Each structure stands twice: as C-alpha cells, then as structure tokens.
C-alpha cells in the first residue's frame, strides 16, 4: 500500500552503500562544495559498487558521482521508511543526524562531517547535540577530512 501511495517500487533494489542527505546549504548555509567532499569519501568506500542516494526533500544540492559508481536516486517525495526492507547488508551514511537513524540502528549508520567546511552553524558540537536527541554518540560521527578516519565500516 505504501509503495502504491508513493508510486515507487523498491523490489529488487540493492546497494552496497546508502547515503541520506540533509538540506545543509538551505538550513545551515554550508558551502555547496561539501557535496564534492561527500562524494569523494563515498567513492572511496563504494569503489565500483552500487550506491543508493536518498536526498532530503529540501536538499537542492547536486551530487555528481563518477560513472564507475552505479547510483540509484530515490525520488525526494518517497519517505526513507519505505527503504527499510532493502538496507540489510548495506553501509549507511547520513550528511546530518536524522530520526530515521533510530529505525536502522542495527546497521550502525554513520554521519559524515567535513571539518574543512566547519562554521558557526555546521560544527561537531551542533551535530553531536543533534545526535544526543536520537540517542547516538560520537562513535557514529566520521570526519571525512581526517587523515586517519575513525570509521569502523
């Protein structure tokens, strides 16, 4: 019923990695070049695999992946909850804390942070405070600009 409501069929949809975005530019005024940083990090993680991109409905930034990555972009109007049944064995990343992370806690989701883009509105303290509201700790935050990323995936 839910799939029919949103006219999106997830049957057979599989990915090595999923990336859920947030409206960072729209809400936090983060420089749009952050998308390039996120893409570079994800390409290192996925290699030549399949990536599921779920953009937040208010996220207007562009994410350009190289051809070697097979990207499936889920329409913005489709709720993330519709993807619950297909995320098993998938590495899951977010660009900002989301309540959806609570529903996929067992998948050990990570939040990507680009310290090079840090500002008054986009910084580890603010992100960690948001993570506390959904009961996630600093072990889920990955600084993609660190030389030795503390990412256990």
């Amino acid at each position: 019923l839910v799939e029919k409501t949103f006219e999106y069929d997830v049957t057979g949809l599989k990915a090595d990695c999923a990336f859920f975005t947030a409206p960072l530019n729209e809400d936090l005024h983060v420089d749009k070049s952050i998308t390039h940083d996120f893409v570079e990090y994800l390409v290192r993680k996925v290699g030549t695999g399949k990536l599921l991109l779920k953009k937040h409905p208010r996220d207007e930034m562009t994410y350009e992946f190289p051809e070697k990555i097979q990207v499936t972009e889920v329409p913005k109007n489709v709720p993330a909850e519709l993807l619950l049944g297909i995320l098993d064995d998938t590495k899951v990343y977010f660009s900002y804390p989301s309540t959806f992370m609570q529903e996929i806690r067992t998948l050990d989701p990570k939040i990507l942070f680009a310290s090079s883009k840090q500002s008054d509105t986009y910084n580890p303290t603010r992100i960690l405070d948001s993570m506390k509201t959904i009961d996630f700790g600093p072990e889920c935050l990955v600084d993609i600009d660190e030389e030795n990323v503390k990412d256990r995936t």
Side-chain angles (χ1 to χ4, degrees), residues 35-51 53 62-72:
T35 61
H36 176 74
D37 300 338
F38 287 154
V39 166
E40 274 190 356
Y41 179 83
L42 293 168
V43 166
R44 287 195 308 270
K45 289 295 175 187
V46 177
T48 58
K50 297 178 181 180
L51 181 128
L53 177 63
T62 302
Y63 299 82
E64 295 180 12
F65 288 86
E67 288 184 18
K68 69 179 184 175
I69 306 284
Q70 184 181 341
V71 178
T72 301

Side-chain angles (χ1 to χ4, degrees), residues 96-97 123-133 136-141:
Y96 202 77
N123 57 63
T125 302
R126 183 175 182 151
I127 294 171
L128 289 169
D129 285 347
S130 293
M131 289 168 62
K132 287 178 193 171
T133 66
F136 279 85
E139 70 280 356
C140 295
L141 186 62

Side-chain angles (χ1 to χ4, degrees), residues 57-106:
R58 289 192 327 273
D59 183 2
E60 295 298 327
M61 294 196 284
T62 302
Y63 299 82
E64 295 180 12
F65 288 86
E67 288 184 18
K68 69 179 184 175
I69 306 284
Q70 184 181 341
V71 178
T72 301
E73 186 169 345
V74 178
K76 287 182 175 187
N77 68 321
V78 173
E81 289 76 8
L82 187 62
L83 305 173
L84 277 172
I86 64 161
L87 293 175
D88 294 338
D89 301 319
T90 303
K91 293 178 183 176
V92 182
Y93 299 95
F94 288 79
S95 65
Y96 202 77
S98 166
T99 55
F100 180 62
M101 290 175 65
Q102 294 172 310
E103 297 189 47
I104 59 168
R105 183 179 295 280
T106 59

